[in-house]
Amino acid sequence: MQTCYWQLQEHKEAEQAYAEAAALIQQGEVVAFPTETVYGLGADGLNGEAVTKIFLAKGRPNDNPLILHIADLKDIEPLTTGLNANARALAKAFWPGPLTLVVNKSALVPQEVSAGLPTVAVRFPANRYAQDFIKACGCPIAAPSANLSGRPSPTNAQDVLEDMQGKIAGILDGGSCAIGVESTIVDTTEAVPTILRPGGITYEMLTEVLGFVEIDKGLLDDKNFKPKAPGMKYRHYAPKASMYLLEDEATKALPAWTAKALAQGLRVGVLCSETAAKALPRSQNLLLSVWHSKEELAAELFYLLRDFDRTCPAVILAEGVSEEGLGLALMNRMRKAAGYQEVVAENGCYRLKNGAQLPAFLD
């Protein structure tokens, strides 16, 4: 399949680009498009056959529900049997923006979108390119992130092209995504709204509007939870190299472990704060990615993980962050990227939370 490519930032005839991309959507094809979070892999959300092509392109299990993207607040009404007060309050406070609401679905929503669940996830993105594209299509757009299943989500069109060239009909290039982690997902169908996936709209921001919001037990290391949000039960964002996430007190060992791994002749990728980077040994085999704030890390995390795939370290060590504010979303993504290989300190010793044995250079 030939993949069309439109560079919206330099496209003088943007309306023509949207019209061509929308025509492909109306023909049942898949087109990638930018949002403020990550790039989405879009198809007509009311066409089950078109939605199936998303799963095929990504290699994504079809029991993993998708998010419907809309371009106007009123567009959610036909997709649901009704919005309760909590859903309306959140939509008023945060739409358009990086918030996805889980609501009870109407008969209009295909099973392919909801994966057989009685609910549907809906988002009204703030990105103007996304809005213009959805409006041109004239239908809600079903879209997960525009990457091969399991790989880091793309925050620029070139990373989409790397994964999807020849697999989808088109890519709309709207530049780099501003936020960089996927939207916050909140289930509004119960009496107390529940965060199913943390994102740019933080727990603190949600509680300010609603007073009380629960966090899904699956985000709190409850291994017996039944996932309801897109992607919650699958490994995501994984770089090719083994990645270890150092949490809390274990982050103090980052310089020593980096030096130990380098001494063993390993090519080491390190993802850490500017402060931590100052204490690291210098070596040609050190591949260092430094961030200065949680916001910067969120915007660049997936790009940096993909960049490690290009520079090919033998192992990646990542410094964890506190889980306040945007940190909850960042730690969620980094834990998944590391395959839950989380290093913690306990009684003066270090261990992996998943019970596996520490690699030799961390022992």
mmCIF file of all heavy atoms in Angstrom, residues 27-79:
data_model
loop_
_atom_site.group_PDB
_atom_site.id
_atom_site.type_symbol
_atom_site.label_atom_id
_atom_site.label_comp_id
_atom_site.label_asym_id
_atom_site.label_seq_id
_atom_site.Cartn_x
_atom_site.Cartn_y
_atom_site.Cartn_z
ATOM 1 N N GLN A 27 -13.584 6.200 2.681
ATOM 2 C CA GLN A 27 -13.456 4.967 1.905
ATOM 3 C C GLN A 27 -13.109 3.773 2.786
ATOM 4 O O GLN A 27 -12.879 2.671 2.294
ATOM 5 C CB GLN A 27 -12.381 5.149 0.829
ATOM 6 C CG GLN A 27 -12.752 6.148 -0.258
ATOM 7 C CD GLN A 27 -11.540 6.588 -1.084
ATOM 8 O OE1 GLN A 27 -10.526 5.878 -1.140
ATOM 9 N NE2 GLN A 27 -11.646 7.753 -1.703
ATOM 10 N N GLY A 28 -13.047 4.000 4.096
ATOM 11 C CA GLY A 28 -12.760 2.906 5.021
ATOM 12 C C GLY A 28 -11.294 2.652 5.266
ATOM 13 O O GLY A 28 -10.917 1.591 5.769
ATOM 14 N N GLU A 29 -10.437 3.647 4.944
ATOM 15 C CA GLU A 29 -9.002 3.478 5.132
ATOM 16 C C GLU A 29 -8.539 4.092 6.462
ATOM 17 O O GLU A 29 -9.323 4.714 7.178
ATOM 18 C CB GLU A 29 -8.238 4.119 3.969
ATOM 19 C CG GLU A 29 -8.548 3.496 2.613
ATOM 20 C CD GLU A 29 -8.142 2.027 2.520
ATOM 21 O OE1 GLU A 29 -7.305 1.571 3.341
ATOM 22 O OE2 GLU A 29 -8.654 1.329 1.629
ATOM 23 N N VAL A 30 -7.254 3.932 6.751
ATOM 24 C CA VAL A 30 -6.661 4.396 8.005
ATOM 25 C C VAL A 30 -5.685 5.532 7.722
ATOM 26 O O VAL A 30 -4.842 5.426 6.826
ATOM 27 C CB VAL A 30 -5.928 3.240 8.724
ATOM 28 C CG1 VAL A 30 -5.232 3.739 9.989
ATOM 29 C CG2 VAL A 30 -6.909 2.117 9.060
ATOM 30 N N VAL A 31 -5.801 6.625 8.477
ATOM 31 C CA VAL A 31 -4.929 7.790 8.324
ATOM 32 C C VAL A 31 -4.415 8.205 9.703
ATOM 33 O O VAL A 31 -5.197 8.351 10.645
ATOM 34 C CB VAL A 31 -5.678 8.976 7.667
ATOM 35 C CG1 VAL A 31 -4.800 10.223 7.647
ATOM 36 C CG2 VAL A 31 -6.132 8.609 6.256
ATOM 37 N N ALA A 32 -3.119 8.410 9.829
ATOM 38 C CA ALA A 32 -2.528 8.889 11.078
ATOM 39 C C ALA A 32 -2.620 10.410 11.138
ATOM 40 O O ALA A 32 -2.458 11.091 10.120
ATOM 41 C CB ALA A 32 -1.078 8.441 11.191
ATOM 42 N N PHE A 33 -2.846 10.937 12.349
ATOM 43 C CA PHE A 33 -3.022 12.379 12.510
ATOM 44 C C PHE A 33 -2.472 12.820 13.866
ATOM 45 O O PHE A 33 -2.395 12.035 14.811
ATOM 46 C CB PHE A 33 -4.499 12.758 12.383
ATOM 47 C CG PHE A 33 -5.382 12.187 13.482
ATOM 48 C CD1 PHE A 33 -5.781 12.973 14.557
ATOM 49 C CD2 PHE A 33 -5.807 10.863 13.442
ATOM 50 C CE1 PHE A 33 -6.573 12.453 15.571
ATOM 51 C CE2 PHE A 33 -6.620 10.338 14.439
ATOM 52 C CZ PHE A 33 -7.000 11.131 15.508
ATOM 53 N N PRO A 34 -2.079 14.095 13.981
ATOM 54 C CA PRO A 34 -1.498 14.580 15.231
ATOM 55 C C PRO A 34 -2.570 14.985 16.236
ATOM 56 O O PRO A 34 -3.666 15.427 15.870
ATOM 57 C CB PRO A 34 -0.708 15.811 14.781
ATOM 58 C CG PRO A 34 -1.487 16.326 13.611
ATOM 59 C CD PRO A 34 -2.041 15.108 12.917
ATOM 60 N N THR A 35 -2.259 14.828 17.520
ATOM 61 C CA THR A 35 -3.048 15.438 18.588
ATOM 62 C C THR A 35 -2.053 16.126 19.518
ATOM 63 O O THR A 35 -0.846 16.073 19.295
ATOM 64 C CB THR A 35 -3.876 14.401 19.379
ATOM 65 O OG1 THR A 35 -3.016 13.690 20.279
ATOM 66 C CG2 THR A 35 -4.594 13.435 18.450
ATOM 67 N N GLU A 36 -2.538 16.738 20.574
ATOM 68 C CA GLU A 36 -1.624 17.376 21.518
ATOM 69 C C GLU A 36 -0.892 16.365 22.395
ATOM 70 O O GLU A 36 0.092 16.704 23.059
ATOM 71 C CB GLU A 36 -2.376 18.394 22.398
ATOM 72 C CG GLU A 36 -3.354 17.803 23.391
ATOM 73 C CD GLU A 36 -4.733 17.571 22.791
ATOM 74 O OE1 GLU A 36 -4.841 17.426 21.557
ATOM 75 O OE2 GLU A 36 -5.693 17.520 23.563
ATOM 76 N N THR A 37 -1.350 15.102 22.404
ATOM 77 C CA THR A 37 -0.709 14.076 23.234
ATOM 78 C C THR A 37 0.271 13.263 22.393
ATOM 79 O O THR A 37 1.478 13.403 22.517
ATOM 80 C CB THR A 37 -1.763 13.178 23.883
ATOM 81 O OG1 THR A 37 -2.607 12.589 22.873
ATOM 82 C CG2 THR A 37 -2.620 13.976 24.858
ATOM 83 N N VAL A 38 -0.244 12.384 21.545
ATOM 84 C CA VAL A 38 0.574 11.596 20.619
ATOM 85 C C VAL A 38 -0.160 11.551 19.276
ATOM 86 O O VAL A 38 -1.292 12.014 19.159
ATOM 87 C CB VAL A 38 0.810 10.157 21.145
ATOM 88 C CG1 VAL A 38 1.531 10.179 22.481
ATOM 89 C CG2 VAL A 38 -0.498 9.380 21.256
ATOM 90 N N TYR A 39 0.487 10.975 18.258
ATOM 91 C CA TYR A 39 -0.188 10.786 16.968
ATOM 92 C C TYR A 39 -1.164 9.617 17.083
ATOM 93 O O TYR A 39 -0.874 8.604 17.732
ATOM 94 C CB TYR A 39 0.822 10.513 15.861
ATOM 95 C CG TYR A 39 1.363 11.772 15.232
ATOM 96 C CD1 TYR A 39 2.223 12.607 15.932
ATOM 97 C CD2 TYR A 39 1.000 12.156 13.940
ATOM 98 C CE1 TYR A 39 2.716 13.777 15.372
ATOM 99 C CE2 TYR A 39 1.493 13.318 13.366
ATOM 100 C CZ TYR A 39 2.337 14.132 14.090
ATOM 101 O OH TYR A 39 2.807 15.294 13.518
ATOM 102 N N GLY A 40 -2.327 9.785 16.449
ATOM 103 C CA GLY A 40 -3.340 8.743 16.459
ATOM 104 C C GLY A 40 -3.441 8.038 15.125
ATOM 105 O O GLY A 40 -3.117 8.610 14.075
ATOM 106 N N LEU A 41 -3.879 6.791 15.166
ATOM 107 C CA LEU A 41 -4.067 5.979 13.966
ATOM 108 C C LEU A 41 -5.567 5.887 13.722
ATOM 109 O O LEU A 41 -6.259 5.087 14.342
ATOM 110 C CB LEU A 41 -3.459 4.586 14.196
ATOM 111 C CG LEU A 41 -3.119 3.740 12.976
ATOM 112 C CD1 LEU A 41 -2.098 4.438 12.097
ATOM 113 C CD2 LEU A 41 -2.571 2.392 13.424
ATOM 114 N N GLY A 42 -6.078 6.745 12.818
ATOM 115 C CA GLY A 42 -7.504 6.984 12.742
ATOM 116 C C GLY A 42 -8.248 6.265 11.636
ATOM 117 O O GLY A 42 -7.743 6.071 10.532
ATOM 118 N N ALA A 43 -9.489 5.880 11.961
ATOM 119 C CA ALA A 43 -10.428 5.327 10.983
ATOM 120 C C ALA A 43 -11.831 5.769 11.385
ATOM 121 O O ALA A 43 -12.051 6.242 12.514
ATOM 122 C CB ALA A 43 -10.337 3.801 10.937
ATOM 123 N N ASP A 44 -12.773 5.634 10.470
ATOM 124 C CA ASP A 44 -14.168 5.973 10.743
ATOM 125 C C ASP A 44 -14.657 5.164 11.940
ATOM 126 O O ASP A 44 -14.776 3.941 11.883
ATOM 127 C CB ASP A 44 -15.011 5.660 9.500
ATOM 128 C CG ASP A 44 -16.480 6.010 9.661
ATOM 129 O OD1 ASP A 44 -16.926 6.281 10.798
ATOM 130 O OD2 ASP A 44 -17.198 5.996 8.642
ATOM 131 N N GLY A 45 -14.952 5.851 13.030
ATOM 132 C CA GLY A 45 -15.330 5.186 14.264
ATOM 133 C C GLY A 45 -16.690 4.545 14.252
ATOM 134 O O GLY A 45 -17.053 3.834 15.204
ATOM 135 N N LEU A 46 -17.462 4.762 13.195
ATOM 136 C CA LEU A 46 -18.779 4.139 13.083
ATOM 137 C C LEU A 46 -18.783 3.018 12.050
ATOM 138 O O LEU A 46 -19.840 2.458 11.753
ATOM 139 C CB LEU A 46 -19.827 5.204 12.725
ATOM 140 C CG LEU A 46 -19.919 6.406 13.689
ATOM 141 C CD1 LEU A 46 -21.032 7.350 13.257
ATOM 142 C CD2 LEU A 46 -20.124 5.946 15.123
ATOM 143 N N ASN A 47 -17.624 2.700 11.511
ATOM 144 C CA ASN A 47 -17.472 1.672 10.485
ATOM 145 C C ASN A 47 -16.607 0.538 11.043
ATOM 146 O O ASN A 47 -15.387 0.654 11.118
ATOM 147 C CB ASN A 47 -16.820 2.289 9.229
ATOM 148 C CG ASN A 47 -16.635 1.287 8.109
ATOM 149 O OD1 ASN A 47 -16.633 0.073 8.314
ATOM 150 N ND2 ASN A 47 -16.467 1.789 6.888
ATOM 151 N N GLY A 48 -17.256 -0.544 11.448
ATOM 152 C CA GLY A 48 -16.542 -1.647 12.076
ATOM 153 C C GLY A 48 -15.448 -2.232 11.206
ATOM 154 O O GLY A 48 -14.375 -2.594 11.706
ATOM 155 N N GLU A 49 -15.688 -2.342 9.903
ATOM 156 C CA GLU A 49 -14.678 -2.906 9.003
ATOM 157 C C GLU A 49 -13.449 -2.002 8.922
ATOM 158 O O GLU A 49 -12.309 -2.478 8.884
ATOM 159 C CB GLU A 49 -15.271 -3.117 7.608
ATOM 160 C CG GLU A 49 -16.307 -4.234 7.542
ATOM 161 C CD GLU A 49 -16.781 -4.477 6.126
ATOM 162 O OE1 GLU A 49 -16.214 -3.883 5.198
ATOM 163 O OE2 GLU A 49 -17.722 -5.274 5.954
ATOM 164 N N ALA A 50 -13.682 -0.693 8.898
ATOM 165 C CA ALA A 50 -12.559 0.246 8.861
ATOM 166 C C ALA A 50 -11.760 0.175 10.157
ATOM 167 O O ALA A 50 -10.516 0.201 10.137
ATOM 168 C CB ALA A 50 -13.076 1.668 8.640
ATOM 169 N N VAL A 51 -12.450 0.065 11.277
ATOM 170 C CA VAL A 51 -11.786 -0.015 12.579
ATOM 171 C C VAL A 51 -10.903 -1.258 12.657
ATOM 172 O O VAL A 51 -9.811 -1.226 13.231
ATOM 173 C CB VAL A 51 -12.830 -0.003 13.713
ATOM 174 C CG1 VAL A 51 -12.196 -0.348 15.051
ATOM 175 C CG2 VAL A 51 -13.511 1.365 13.787
ATOM 176 N N THR A 52 -11.350 -2.348 12.057
ATOM 177 C CA THR A 52 -10.564 -3.585 12.057
ATOM 178 C C THR A 52 -9.195 -3.371 11.418
ATOM 179 O O THR A 52 -8.202 -3.993 11.813
ATOM 180 C CB THR A 52 -11.325 -4.700 11.320
ATOM 181 O OG1 THR A 52 -12.540 -4.965 12.026
ATOM 182 C CG2 THR A 52 -10.520 -5.972 11.249
ATOM 183 N N LYS A 53 -9.120 -2.465 10.427
ATOM 184 C CA LYS A 53 -7.839 -2.193 9.758
ATOM 185 C C LYS A 53 -6.830 -1.547 10.707
ATOM 186 O O LYS A 53 -5.617 -1.686 10.514
ATOM 187 C CB LYS A 53 -8.064 -1.301 8.535
ATOM 188 C CG LYS A 53 -8.857 -1.987 7.421
ATOM 189 C CD LYS A 53 -9.019 -1.058 6.228
ATOM 190 C CE LYS A 53 -9.821 -1.736 5.121
ATOM 191 N NZ LYS A 53 -9.994 -0.846 3.939
ATOM 192 N N ILE A 54 -7.325 -0.835 11.722
ATOM 193 C CA ILE A 54 -6.423 -0.258 12.724
ATOM 194 C C ILE A 54 -5.695 -1.370 13.467
ATOM 195 O O ILE A 54 -4.470 -1.342 13.643
ATOM 196 C CB ILE A 54 -7.200 0.621 13.733
ATOM 197 C CG1 ILE A 54 -7.771 1.859 13.055
ATOM 198 C CG2 ILE A 54 -6.300 1.008 14.907
ATOM 199 C CD1 ILE A 54 -8.639 2.714 13.959
ATOM 200 N N PHE A 55 -6.460 -2.369 13.907
ATOM 201 C CA PHE A 55 -5.872 -3.489 14.656
ATOM 202 C C PHE A 55 -4.849 -4.242 13.796
ATOM 203 O O PHE A 55 -3.796 -4.656 14.284
ATOM 204 C CB PHE A 55 -6.968 -4.444 15.118
ATOM 205 C CG PHE A 55 -7.880 -3.860 16.168
ATOM 206 C CD1 PHE A 55 -9.120 -3.345 15.825
ATOM 207 C CD2 PHE A 55 -7.498 -3.825 17.495
ATOM 208 C CE1 PHE A 55 -9.969 -2.815 16.782
ATOM 209 C CE2 PHE A 55 -8.330 -3.289 18.467
ATOM 210 C CZ PHE A 55 -9.570 -2.774 18.117
ATOM 211 N N LEU A 56 -5.157 -4.389 12.519
ATOM 212 C CA LEU A 56 -4.245 -5.096 11.621
ATOM 213 C C LEU A 56 -2.958 -4.309 11.414
ATOM 214 O O LEU A 56 -1.857 -4.875 11.414
ATOM 215 C CB LEU A 56 -4.929 -5.359 10.282
ATOM 216 C CG LEU A 56 -6.107 -6.345 10.317
ATOM 217 C CD1 LEU A 56 -6.796 -6.399 8.949
ATOM 218 C CD2 LEU A 56 -5.645 -7.734 10.732
ATOM 219 N N ALA A 57 -3.079 -2.999 11.228
ATOM 220 C CA ALA A 57 -1.893 -2.167 10.994
ATOM 221 C C ALA A 57 -0.982 -2.140 12.212
ATOM 222 O O ALA A 57 0.240 -2.204 12.098
ATOM 223 C CB ALA A 57 -2.310 -0.744 10.620
ATOM 224 N N LYS A 58 -1.581 -2.067 13.408
ATOM 225 C CA LYS A 58 -0.797 -1.982 14.637
ATOM 226 C C LYS A 58 -0.289 -3.338 15.120
ATOM 227 O O LYS A 58 0.683 -3.415 15.879
ATOM 228 C CB LYS A 58 -1.656 -1.381 15.765
ATOM 229 C CG LYS A 58 -1.741 0.121 15.779
ATOM 230 C CD LYS A 58 -2.547 0.609 16.970
ATOM 231 C CE LYS A 58 -1.843 0.374 18.289
ATOM 232 N NZ LYS A 58 -0.725 1.332 18.559
ATOM 233 N N GLY A 59 -0.992 -4.411 14.714
ATOM 234 C CA GLY A 59 -0.723 -5.699 15.337
ATOM 235 C C GLY A 59 -1.270 -5.699 16.754
ATOM 236 O O GLY A 59 -0.704 -6.292 17.672
ATOM 237 N N ARG A 60 -2.402 -5.045 16.940
ATOM 238 C CA ARG A 60 -2.998 -4.828 18.259
ATOM 239 C C ARG A 60 -4.088 -5.860 18.516
ATOM 240 O O ARG A 60 -4.918 -6.125 17.646
ATOM 241 C CB ARG A 60 -3.601 -3.419 18.306
ATOM 242 C CG ARG A 60 -4.334 -3.012 19.597
ATOM 243 C CD ARG A 60 -4.931 -1.642 19.387
ATOM 244 N NE ARG A 60 -5.781 -1.165 20.471
ATOM 245 C CZ ARG A 60 -5.448 -0.205 21.317
ATOM 246 N NH1 ARG A 60 -4.268 0.365 21.225
ATOM 247 N NH2 ARG A 60 -6.286 0.201 22.257
ATOM 248 N N PRO A 61 -4.152 -6.461 19.719
ATOM 249 C CA PRO A 61 -5.227 -7.400 20.037
ATOM 250 C C PRO A 61 -6.588 -6.717 19.929
ATOM 251 O O PRO A 61 -6.756 -5.573 20.361
ATOM 252 C CB PRO A 61 -4.933 -7.807 21.489
ATOM 253 C CG PRO A 61 -3.481 -7.529 21.666
ATOM 254 C CD PRO A 61 -3.184 -6.329 20.820
ATOM 255 N N ASN A 62 -7.564 -7.416 19.359
ATOM 256 C CA ASN A 62 -8.871 -6.769 19.141
ATOM 257 C C ASN A 62 -9.765 -6.760 20.373
ATOM 258 O O ASN A 62 -10.916 -6.325 20.299
ATOM 259 C CB ASN A 62 -9.599 -7.401 17.950
ATOM 260 C CG ASN A 62 -9.898 -8.870 18.164
ATOM 261 O OD1 ASN A 62 -9.704 -9.421 19.251
ATOM 262 N ND2 ASN A 62 -10.361 -9.534 17.105
ATOM 263 N N ASP A 63 -9.228 -7.253 21.513
ATOM 264 C CA ASP A 63 -9.987 -7.112 22.759
ATOM 265 C C ASP A 63 -9.560 -5.863 23.517
ATOM 266 O O ASP A 63 -9.909 -5.674 24.680
ATOM 267 C CB ASP A 63 -9.817 -8.355 23.644
ATOM 268 C CG ASP A 63 -8.383 -8.540 24.134
ATOM 269 O OD1 ASP A 63 -7.469 -7.920 23.552
ATOM 270 O OD2 ASP A 63 -8.183 -9.314 25.087
ATOM 271 N N ASN A 64 -8.832 -4.994 22.848
ATOM 272 C CA ASN A 64 -8.309 -3.764 23.431
ATOM 273 C C ASN A 64 -9.101 -2.591 22.848
ATOM 274 O O ASN A 64 -8.909 -2.225 21.690
ATOM 275 C CB ASN A 64 -6.824 -3.644 23.084
ATOM 276 C CG ASN A 64 -6.101 -2.632 23.934
ATOM 277 O OD1 ASN A 64 -6.703 -1.938 24.743
ATOM 278 N ND2 ASN A 64 -4.794 -2.529 23.740
ATOM 279 N N PRO A 65 -10.036 -1.999 23.609
ATOM 280 C CA PRO A 65 -10.926 -0.972 23.054
ATOM 281 C C PRO A 65 -10.187 0.269 22.575
ATOM 282 O O PRO A 65 -9.056 0.550 22.989
ATOM 283 C CB PRO A 65 -11.859 -0.648 24.222
ATOM 284 C CG PRO A 65 -11.133 -1.083 25.441
ATOM 285 C CD PRO A 65 -10.303 -2.251 25.036
ATOM 286 N N LEU A 66 -10.853 1.018 21.688
ATOM 287 C CA LEU A 66 -10.287 2.234 21.112
ATOM 288 C C LEU A 66 -11.007 3.466 21.642
ATOM 289 O O LEU A 66 -12.103 3.370 22.207
ATOM 290 C CB LEU A 66 -10.406 2.188 19.582
ATOM 291 C CG LEU A 66 -9.770 0.998 18.878
ATOM 292 C CD1 LEU A 66 -10.017 1.094 17.380
ATOM 293 C CD2 LEU A 66 -8.278 0.934 19.166
ATOM 294 N N ILE A 67 -10.384 4.614 21.426
ATOM 295 C CA ILE A 67 -10.982 5.895 21.812
ATOM 296 C C ILE A 67 -11.584 6.553 20.578
ATOM 297 O O ILE A 67 -10.959 6.586 19.518
ATOM 298 C CB ILE A 67 -9.916 6.816 22.439
ATOM 299 C CG1 ILE A 67 -9.408 6.221 23.760
ATOM 300 C CG2 ILE A 67 -10.481 8.220 22.677
ATOM 301 C CD1 ILE A 67 -8.217 6.965 24.344
ATOM 302 N N LEU A 68 -12.788 7.077 20.713
ATOM 303 C CA LEU A 68 -13.414 7.863 19.647
ATOM 304 C C LEU A 68 -13.066 9.331 19.852
ATOM 305 O O LEU A 68 -13.253 9.874 20.943
ATOM 306 C CB LEU A 68 -14.933 7.682 19.662
ATOM 307 C CG LEU A 68 -15.466 6.315 19.218
ATOM 308 C CD1 LEU A 68 -16.990 6.302 19.264
ATOM 309 C CD2 LEU A 68 -14.976 5.959 17.823
ATOM 310 N N HIS A 69 -12.557 9.964 18.792
ATOM 311 C CA HIS A 69 -12.175 11.371 18.844
ATOM 312 C C HIS A 69 -13.232 12.213 18.133
ATOM 313 O O HIS A 69 -13.661 11.873 17.025
ATOM 314 C CB HIS A 69 -10.813 11.577 18.175
ATOM 315 C CG HIS A 69 -9.695 10.912 18.910
ATOM 316 N ND1 HIS A 69 -9.567 9.540 18.990
ATOM 317 C CD2 HIS A 69 -8.644 11.438 19.603
ATOM 318 C CE1 HIS A 69 -8.499 9.241 19.701
ATOM 319 N NE2 HIS A 69 -7.914 10.366 20.078
ATOM 320 N N ILE A 70 -13.647 13.290 18.776
ATOM 321 C CA ILE A 70 -14.683 14.166 18.227
ATOM 322 C C ILE A 70 -14.123 15.578 18.085
ATOM 323 O O ILE A 70 -13.060 15.903 18.628
ATOM 324 C CB ILE A 70 -15.945 14.170 19.109
ATOM 325 C CG1 ILE A 70 -15.604 14.625 20.540
ATOM 326 C CG2 ILE A 70 -16.571 12.773 19.126
ATOM 327 C CD1 ILE A 70 -16.806 14.753 21.460
ATOM 328 N N ALA A 71 -14.849 16.433 17.352
ATOM 329 C CA ALA A 71 -14.371 17.790 17.089
ATOM 330 C C ALA A 71 -15.310 18.863 17.621
ATOM 331 O O ALA A 71 -15.108 20.053 17.380
ATOM 332 C CB ALA A 71 -14.162 17.996 15.584
ATOM 333 N N ASP A 72 -16.330 18.443 18.365
ATOM 334 C CA ASP A 72 -17.268 19.386 18.959
ATOM 335 C C ASP A 72 -17.912 18.712 20.155
ATOM 336 O O ASP A 72 -18.192 17.508 20.106
ATOM 337 C CB ASP A 72 -18.341 19.808 17.944
ATOM 338 C CG ASP A 72 -19.126 21.025 18.404
ATOM 339 O OD1 ASP A 72 -19.909 20.888 19.367
ATOM 340 O OD2 ASP A 72 -18.973 22.102 17.812
ATOM 341 N N LEU A 73 -18.147 19.471 21.209
ATOM 342 C CA LEU A 73 -18.705 18.907 22.438
ATOM 343 C C LEU A 73 -20.014 18.154 22.194
ATOM 344 O O LEU A 73 -20.260 17.082 22.750
ATOM 345 C CB LEU A 73 -18.913 20.017 23.466
ATOM 346 C CG LEU A 73 -19.382 19.588 24.856
ATOM 347 C CD1 LEU A 73 -18.401 18.620 25.505
ATOM 348 C CD2 LEU A 73 -19.572 20.811 25.751
ATOM 349 N N LYS A 74 -20.833 18.701 21.318
ATOM 350 C CA LYS A 74 -22.138 18.087 21.064
ATOM 351 C C LYS A 74 -22.015 16.728 20.372
ATOM 352 O O LYS A 74 -22.960 15.922 20.397
ATOM 353 C CB LYS A 74 -23.017 19.022 20.234
ATOM 354 C CG LYS A 74 -22.575 19.226 18.804
ATOM 355 C CD LYS A 74 -23.518 20.152 18.051
ATOM 356 C CE LYS A 74 -23.233 20.347 16.598
ATOM 357 N NZ LYS A 74 -21.891 20.156 16.099
ATOM 358 N N ASP A 75 -20.867 16.448 19.774
ATOM 359 C CA ASP A 75 -20.697 15.208 19.022
ATOM 360 C C ASP A 75 -20.666 13.967 19.906
ATOM 361 O O ASP A 75 -20.768 12.844 19.410
ATOM 362 C CB ASP A 75 -19.419 15.259 18.184
ATOM 363 C CG ASP A 75 -19.496 16.282 17.060
ATOM 364 O OD1 ASP A 75 -20.622 16.698 16.724
ATOM 365 O OD2 ASP A 75 -18.438 16.670 16.532
ATOM 366 N N ILE A 76 -20.521 14.149 21.222
ATOM 367 C CA ILE A 76 -20.532 12.990 22.105
ATOM 368 C C ILE A 76 -21.954 12.464 22.324
ATOM 369 O O ILE A 76 -22.141 11.280 22.612
ATOM 370 C CB ILE A 76 -19.881 13.310 23.477
ATOM 371 C CG1 ILE A 76 -19.633 12.012 24.263
ATOM 372 C CG2 ILE A 76 -20.714 14.290 24.271
ATOM 373 C CD1 ILE A 76 -18.888 12.223 25.570
ATOM 374 N N GLU A 77 -22.949 13.301 22.191
ATOM 375 C CA GLU A 77 -24.324 12.931 22.536
ATOM 376 C C GLU A 77 -24.819 11.678 21.804
ATOM 377 O O GLU A 77 -25.373 10.770 22.430
ATOM 378 C CB GLU A 77 -25.272 14.113 22.287
ATOM 379 C CG GLU A 77 -24.941 15.368 23.076
ATOM 380 C CD GLU A 77 -25.187 15.238 24.573
ATOM 381 O OE1 GLU A 77 -25.823 14.252 24.992
ATOM 382 O OE2 GLU A 77 -24.718 16.119 25.315
ATOM 383 N N PRO A 78 -24.632 11.554 20.474
ATOM 384 C CA PRO A 78 -25.130 10.355 19.795
ATOM 385 C C PRO A 78 -24.370 9.079 20.158
ATOM 386 O O PRO A 78 -24.857 7.979 19.886
ATOM 387 C CB PRO A 78 -24.928 10.674 18.301
ATOM 388 C CG PRO A 78 -24.701 12.143 18.230
ATOM 389 C CD PRO A 78 -24.062 12.520 19.506
ATOM 390 N N LEU A 79 -23.213 9.217 20.774
ATOM 391 C CA LEU A 79 -22.365 8.058 21.063
ATOM 392 C C LEU A 79 -22.677 7.418 22.408
ATOM 393 O O LEU A 79 -22.149 6.355 22.731
ATOM 394 C CB LEU A 79 -20.892 8.479 21.028
ATOM 395 C CG LEU A 79 -20.420 9.174 19.756
ATOM 396 C CD1 LEU A 79 -18.977 9.633 19.910
ATOM 397 C CD2 LEU A 79 -20.567 8.254 18.544
#
